[in-house]
Amino acid sequence: MTRDLTIAEVRLTPILVADPPLLNTQGVHQPYTPRLIVEVVTADGITGLGETYGDTKYLELARPLADRLIGRRVTDVNSLFTLDLAVDESRVEDAVDVGGLRGVQTADKLRLSVLSAVEVACLDAQGKALGLPVHALLGGKVRDAVEYSAYLFYRWAAHPEGVRAEADDWGAALDPAGVVAQARRFKELYGFASFKLKGGVFPPDEEIAAVRALAEAFPGHPLRLDPNGAWSVATSLKVAKELADVLEYLEDPALGTPAMAEVSAGTDVPLATNMCVTTFAEIKEAFARDAVQVVLSDHHYWGGLRNTQHLAALCATFGVGISMHSNTHLGISLAAMTHVASTVPGLRHACDSHYPWQSEDVLTERLACRGGRIAVSDAPGLGVELDREKLAALHRRWAEDDGTLRDRDDAAAMRVAEPGWVTPAVPRW
């Protein structure tokens, strides 16, 4: 039977997802994070799913784009990236992205973050129409499961009093003992074999102690530390020297390619980034200066799954490692990450994922992580199914919000706990 793969409808559903009080150098995660669920529906009723950031600036691009997709075919993915999407430059002016600490925000990254969700939805629909998994559309998997790393955070037991939030039972983690206890629970629940600590929260000596405690508790396990550019070059080199024997890599210790190049020149500890190399234009300087040894891709702002493969090929050409960055996301994004990761031959570092921290999802069944790995689905498309009741409930939360949570700002909740809090300038130390 010949399928009609013309796009007949595009549904955009903004939602607010519960997020625990995880700390980073800019503050504490808001109690709810905006995400956008994209559904591309073909003329014969096949629905493809995508997911991306849901802040207002992304919705402002997604809505006119949705209208322009009607009548196109879900197989015409290349042409998506030729569409001229107008961005209000005042929305991205000056810009270090507050919500995800994803490096300098640009109009092009905004466009790609929206187009990536549409690309994934189109690939999902294609796979369902052809009876093929997305990884087959990307050239085929080279591994049957993708390894993920435990993503550890300093955190409060709860959000500040007076802030509406969903409770959890993880408790506080504000010192080395709390970090180790969190890691033990992650290992018990999911079998993770590597651990990444989000740093830049406390003075470096305290975070060095936490990594040392992890190394003692989990000997031989790969460890990473990510202060999101919160340190000076001198501090970065000090930490690298003190943790050289236990770190798999140090992620974005200093902000920007010039500073990272200085750090790289002074240490043998590999440096990873999801902040100074977030676009193809940033690759030349970073690679030429040997500023980074591992790039952490993110299909959302790199422009989708095939661009992720392109990035991986460039990294392989220049002898730079590749893995994956993660921000707060749900199962659609995790399924997309897993499919594309399964196709990258040189993926030698476990990928990041916030997913274990997310108590809510829009899928009928959560993706299972066993032995620190997620199995690559061979079902058609992404291999996931939307739960419309869950989607509707999370959209109601968004619709009923007064607008204060529709744009992620990790400093906002911090100001409730500490009136007068100002997002720290970098380097902090």
Side-chain angles (χ1 to χ4, degrees):
M1 180 180 70
T2 302
R3 295 280 194 177
D4 185 350
L5 298 183
T6 304
I7 297 173
E9 181 182 3
V10 178
R11 304 179 191 132
L12 304 176
T13 309
I15 60 177
L16 285 175
V17 182
D19 213 2
L22 309 178
L23 300 172
N24 61 55
T25 194
Q26 294 186 338
V28 61
H29 282 203
Q30 287 179 269
Y32 302 98
T33 293
R35 298 295 287 179
L36 175 63
I37 305 303
V38 176
E39 298 176 74
V40 171
V41 185
T42 67
D44 57 0
I46 296 172
T47 300
L49 304 177
E51 174 192 344
T52 191
Y53 308 107
D55 308 63
T56 305
K57 56 193 173 187
Y58 299 99
L59 290 174
E60 289 172 350
L61 283 180
R63 286 168 174 148
L65 172 63
D67 293 336
R68 296 174 65 180
L69 295 175
I70 305 303
R72 304 172 73 93
R73 291 175 61 81
V74 293
T75 52
D76 295 337
V77 177
N78 287 337
S79 65
L80 290 175
F81 298 91
T82 67
L83 295 175
D84 182 22
L85 303 182
V87 177
D88 181 353
E89 296 288 345
S90 68
R91 303 282 276 154
V92 295
E93 188 174 8
D94 280 332
V96 170
D97 179 80
V98 171
L101 299 158
R102 301 188 296 267
V104 174
Q105 183 65 272
T106 66
D108 196 44
K109 281 171 70 174
L110 278 178
R111 293 186 189 97
L112 290 175
S113 295
V114 173
L115 289 170
S116 68
V118 175
E119 185 229 41
V120 169
C122 286
L123 290 172
D124 186 34
Q126 286 181 52
K128 290 173 178 173
L130 297 170
L132 294 172
V134 164
H135 65 74
L137 302 179
L138 298 174
K141 63 183 179 180
V142 296
R143 58 185 60 85
D144 292 324
V146 173
E147 184 179 4
Y148 285 88
S149 177
Y151 205 160
L152 310 178
F153 281 82
Y154 292 108
R155 57 160 289 162
W156 293 334
H159 278 90
E161 186 176 352
V163 173
R164 181 173 64 92
E166 308 301 314
D168 66 34
D169 64 353
W170 279 84
L174 299 170
D175 56 21
V179 170
V180 169
Q182 188 182 104
R184 290 192 190 283
R185 185 170 177 186
F186 265 123
K187 186 172 179 64
E188 178 183 341
L189 289 173
Y190 306 108
F192 292 121
S194 62
F195 301 91
K196 170 179 167 175
L197 175 62
K198 177 67 75 178
V201 177
F202 296 115
D205 284 345
E206 296 183 36
E207 298 183 354
I208 289 170
V211 173
R212 281 284 172 203
L214 286 169
E216 183 177 346
F218 304 97
H221 288 55
L223 304 177
R224 305 111 176 242
L225 177 59
D226 172 21
N228 280 123
W231 301 337
S232 68
V233 169
T235 299
S236 300
L237 288 170
K238 174 182 180 292
V239 175
K241 181 177 180 180
E242 295 199 27
L243 294 176
D245 59 325
V246 296
L247 284 181
E248 177 185 14
Y249 58 67
L250 186 57
E251 181 180 339
D252 286 308
L255 189 62
T257 292
M260 289 282 282
E262 282 192 68
V263 178
S264 180
T267 181
D268 291 329
V269 174
L271 302 186
T273 188
N274 76 279
M275 295 182 72
C276 69
V277 180
T278 59
T279 66
F280 289 104
E282 293 167 325
I283 287 176
K284 182 178 179 179
E285 180 187 7
F287 287 10
R289 299 183 66 170
D290 193 29
V292 298
Q293 289 73 52
V294 182
V295 172
L296 304 179
S297 67
D298 187 315
H299 74 271
H300 301 92
Y301 54 77
W302 279 94
L305 306 190
R306 294 174 315 146
N307 269 3
T308 299
Q309 290 182 308
H310 182 37
L311 170 63
L314 288 173
C315 287
T317 300
F318 288 93
V320 174
I322 186 82
S323 189
M324 286 191 180
H325 159 261
S326 166
N327 198 352
T328 305
H329 64 80
L330 299 180
I332 296 171
S333 283
L334 182 59
M337 290 169 63
T338 302
H339 274 275
V340 70
S342 77
T343 70
V344 175
L347 188 71
R348 297 183 179 89
H349 303 278
C351 301
D352 295 342
S353 178
H354 273 247
Y355 191 63
W357 285 113
Q358 310 315 136
S359 60
E360 301 175 329
D361 205 347
V362 294
L363 300 182
T364 56
E365 184 177 354
R366 287 180 66 88
L367 275 69
C369 183
R370 298 185 178 92
R373 288 173 166 79
I374 294 179
V376 181
S377 173
D378 289 322
L382 291 173
V384 298
E385 183 180 348
L386 195 62
D387 185 315
R388 297 210 168 273
E389 289 186 8
K390 293 177 182 177
L391 179 67
L394 298 184
H395 175 63
R396 280 195 301 272
R397 182 187 286 158
W398 179 90
E400 293 167 1
D401 177 63
D402 62 5
T404 57
L405 294 172
R406 292 186 183 182
D407 293 291
R408 180 167 168 172
D409 177 2
D410 285 355
M414 198 72 173
R415 287 191 291 269
V416 176
E418 298 183 27
W421 170 267
V422 176
T423 301
V426 291
R428 290 184 69 179
W429 293 282

